[in-house]
Amino acid sequence: LWLDIEHTDQKKYFTWDKVKFPEPKKMIDSLADKGRKMVTIVDPHIKRDNNYYIFNNGNDLDLWVKNSDGSTYEGHCWPGGS
């Protein structure tokens, strides 16, 4: 089973939408019991959101791609600024 970005909470990777997927571990275990696997798609951009721990950790560790002038590169994709 392949899940695209719609499984996330507000298009923030490494999260689950708690309404659509209230018990993700139980769902994954149920699939595994049937010999099935699940893949969650993660694209190489992180939503710019100060309430998102992944974004904040990336800032704290200065992990972002840089422009030639040393500033942080900002792109745009389905979560918005990334």
Side-chain angles (χ1 to χ4, degrees), residues 24-34:
K25 180 163 179 5
K26 183 177 177 182
M27 177 181 58
I28 293 166
D29 291 344
S30 176
L31 287 168
D33 289 345
K34 296 174 178 90

Side-chain angles (χ1 to χ4, degrees), residues 1-3 16 21 24 27-28 31 36-40:
L1 176 65
W2 294 79
L3 298 178
W16 288 93
F21 300 94
M27 177 181 58
I28 293 166
L31 287 168
R36 304 293 306 258
K37 297 183 188 248
M38 178 183 292
V39 175
T40 58

Side-chain angles (χ1 to χ4, degrees), residues 3-55:
L3 298 178
D4 205 339
I5 194 168
E6 285 74 23
H7 75 279
T8 66
D9 175 26
Q10 300 176 31
K11 299 186 177 4
K12 297 177 205 167
Y13 287 115
F14 311 108
T15 66
W16 288 93
D17 181 317
K18 292 179 170 93
V19 174
K20 294 177 188 171
F21 300 94
E23 299 182 71
K25 180 163 179 5
K26 183 177 177 182
M27 177 181 58
I28 293 166
D29 291 344
S30 176
L31 287 168
D33 289 345
K34 296 174 178 90
R36 304 293 306 258
K37 297 183 188 248
M38 178 183 292
V39 175
T40 58
I41 295 175
V42 177
D43 293 321
H45 54 266
I46 300 297
K47 183 175 184 174
R48 292 177 65 93
D49 182 333
N50 290 325
N51 295 314
Y52 180 27
Y53 73 98
I54 297 289
F55 176 71

